[in-house]
């Protein structure tokens, strides 16, 4: 067996392949985008934490996406919907989608019943608080609890999809790999997300109508498979 810096040639080849796999995954984050439309054409979709419902509405309007298989939900009570949110809810209903208010993504059993979905999507989760919860960042607690809940609402082969700002501060806040592990998912695949690809999507910040995307240029979509 040949030696290569202390390792056998076979080990060196294995190591090289491993590094190539790692760098491919990293490249996938910057180069590839998750195809929301293709995924939504495959079956039922639950949106949670939709804010003003503009992402769910944009996606429901995509050709060959079965709008009737979409359940779009917001955390807020109906009376707290913004005018835009209310208007978008009416448009979704007109398309044949379902809309539900007062849905807590960490307590889906309270409002969703026993339905299961091909895909569950939470765009830009944010609890609007920096107070630690169980000595953890509250956004890490939110996504961990959401993932634990969502597991029970996935059909076989189902995916959970979460988009966030892509920078070290947000990565530190969410700690997606750790959240996945705690909820029993493998580490997520990571894609690039560009809100500009969805012209009808007017990203809403938690607790007001400004854009949470303001001031940020990089976004990521995390895809968790059971
Ligand atoms: C930054 S906003 C994003 C809203 C929308 N998804 C978008 O992309 O424009 C964060 C959203 O998370 C929601 N949220 C916070 N805690 C939640 C929970 N426990 N369950 C469901 N939604 C929650 C808020 O109500 C808010 O609408």
């Amino acid at each position: 067996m040949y030696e290569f810096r202390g390792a056998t040639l076979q080990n060196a080849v294995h190591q090289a392949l491993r590094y190539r796999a790692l760098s491919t995954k990293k490249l996938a984050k910057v180069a590839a985008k998750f195809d929301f439309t293709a995924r939504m054409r495959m079956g039922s979709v639950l949106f949670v934490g939709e804010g003003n419902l503009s992402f769910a509405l944009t996606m429901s309007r995509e050709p060959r996406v079965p709008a009737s298989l979409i359940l779009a939900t917001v955390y807020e009570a109906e009376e707290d919907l913004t005018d835009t949110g209310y208007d978008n809810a009416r448009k979704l209903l007109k398309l044949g989608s379902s809309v539900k208010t007062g849905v807590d993504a960490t307590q889906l059993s309270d409002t969703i019943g026993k339905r299961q979905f091909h895909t569950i999507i939470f765009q830009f989760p944010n609890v609007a608080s920096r107070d630690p919860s169980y000595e953890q960042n509250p956004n890490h607690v939110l996504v961990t609890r959401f993932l634990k809940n969502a597991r029970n609402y996935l059909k076989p082969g189902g995916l959970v999809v979460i988009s966030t700002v892509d920078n070290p501060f947000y990565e530190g806040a969410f700690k997606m790999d750790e959240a996945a592990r705690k909820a029993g998912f493998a580490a997520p695949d990571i894609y690039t997300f560009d809100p500009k690809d969805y012209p009808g999507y007017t990203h809403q910040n938690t607790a007001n109508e400004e854009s949470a995307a303001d001031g940020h240029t990089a976004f990521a979509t995390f895809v968790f498979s059971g």
Side-chain angles (χ1 to χ4, degrees):
M1 195 63 79
Y2 295 100
E3 289 286 319
F4 181 73
R5 288 193 185 158
T8 63
L9 179 60
Q10 203 180 17
N11 284 346
V13 169
H14 279 153
Q15 215 165 50
L17 285 174
R18 200 155 61 88
Y19 288 137
R20 206 169 66 194
L22 282 177
S23 65
T24 305
K25 182 168 184 191
K26 207 160 181 205
L27 269 184
K29 183 177 179 185
V30 289
K33 291 176 181 171
F34 180 69
D35 192 339
F36 280 88
T37 308
R39 181 68 198 175
M40 291 189 60
R41 285 181 181 143
M42 291 170 70
S44 51
V45 180
L46 169 65
F47 285 97
V48 298
E50 256 298 292
N52 63 16
L53 292 158
S54 62
F55 190 69
L57 178 62
T58 302
M59 297 313 303
S60 298
R61 285 175 162 162
E62 284 292 305
R64 290 182 285 114
V65 165
S68 62
L69 297 184
I70 293 173
L71 171 55
T73 72
V74 298
Y75 189 36
E76 292 72 23
E78 182 173 338
E79 56 271 26
D80 295 327
L81 278 180
T82 59
D83 289 347
T84 311
Y86 202 80
D87 203 36
N88 288 341
R90 286 207 338 245
K91 288 173 179 162
L92 275 161
L93 293 171
K94 214 166 159 189
L95 284 170
S97 300
S98 306
V99 177
K100 222 171 176 25
T101 55
V103 174
D104 183 342
T106 69
Q107 300 273 358
L108 291 172
S109 60
D110 291 353
T111 45
I112 300 300
K114 289 192 185 320
R115 269 181 77 178
Q116 289 190 310
F117 301 85
H118 265 90
T119 313
I120 302 180
I121 300 175
F122 195 165
Q123 292 293 86
F124 295 88
N126 189 345
V127 296
S129 157
R130 292 189 179 185
D131 296 337
S133 171
Y134 302 99
E135 295 177 12
Q136 292 281 358
N137 185 298
N139 282 310
H140 173 71
V141 175
L142 171 65
V143 293
T144 304
R145 289 187 175 164
F146 162 57
L147 288 171
K148 281 183 180 168
N149 252 255
R151 267 188 89 77
N152 305 317
Y153 289 85
L154 281 183
K155 290 188 186 230
L159 298 180
V160 179
V161 181
I162 302 176
S163 301
T164 67
V165 172
D166 176 12
N167 72 22
F169 173 79
Y170 280 84
E171 270 160 41
F174 286 107
K175 291 198 260 171
M176 291 294 191
D177 280 5
E178 196 178 315
R181 188 173 40 73
K182 287 177 183 168
F185 287 95
D189 290 325
I190 309 168
Y191 298 81
T192 291
F193 180 77
D194 187 350
K196 289 202 279 301
D197 292 338
Y198 307 91
Y201 176 30
T202 53
H203 184 100
Q204 183 182 302
N205 209 347
T206 307
N208 66 41
E209 266 207 278
E210 286 165 32
S211 169
D214 275 356
H216 297 289
T217 50
F219 308 94
T221 296
F222 298 81
V223 178
F224 303 80
S225 47

